[in-house]
Amino acid sequence: MDRLNPNTTPATPDPALRAVDQSDVAGGTPAGAFDPWSYRDEAGVAGTNLIGYKVEATDGSIGKIGSDSAEVHASYLVVDTGPWIFGKKVMLPAGTVSHVDHEEQKVHVDRDKDQIKAAPEYDETATDPGYRDKLGGYYNDTYTATPPGWLR
């Protein structure tokens, strides 16, 4: 009954019971690191169907969302760019989404048009992890904590 005795000092937690560092978990990302395949908590995406929403880069509109995936550590948007870059489709990893305006049905991403245009071409038939790693690596390399022109 020591647990109920208010005069006893609480035991020091066992260090082994502390939260697990995500860098030690397969597929995890170290705290504070950019994770291209997960939506940011502040983006406002949770539980929302984004298909049909317009996509805004930091320097203007780039198209509409044609499909998406909300898989854990594998979330992305497929954007139909229409005539903007000759009607091709691009895959944007979830981590590029900075925020969503549900009233205007717009998804804002923290990349400019040139960065998106220069991304590896979307290949809907590619199922190998190498393709995803290549795409994620591209967006990870273009990530900055505060994108140009943005005030946070």
Side-chain angles (χ1 to χ4, degrees), residues 51-86:
I51 295 173
Y53 277 40
K54 294 178 184 175
V55 180
E56 295 286 322
T58 58
D59 57 351
S61 180
I62 62 166
K64 283 189 174 186
I65 298 172
S67 65
D68 65 356
S69 168
E71 294 178 44
V72 175
H73 297 297
S75 299
Y76 61 86
L77 304 171
V78 176
V79 180
D80 182 357
T81 62
W84 175 62
I85 47 178
F86 309 109

Side-chain angles (χ1 to χ4, degrees), residues 31-43:
F34 175 69
D35 178 5
W37 302 106
S38 295
Y39 288 107
R40 302 173 197 179
D41 292 338
E42 68 272 12

Side-chain angles (χ1 to χ4, degrees), residues 34-36 38 40 77 92-99 108-111 139:
F34 175 69
D35 178 5
S38 295
R40 302 173 197 179
L77 304 171
L92 296 176
T96 62
V97 175
S98 58
H99 68 280
H108 295 264
V109 296
D110 65 0
R111 301 299 192 283
Y139 283 104

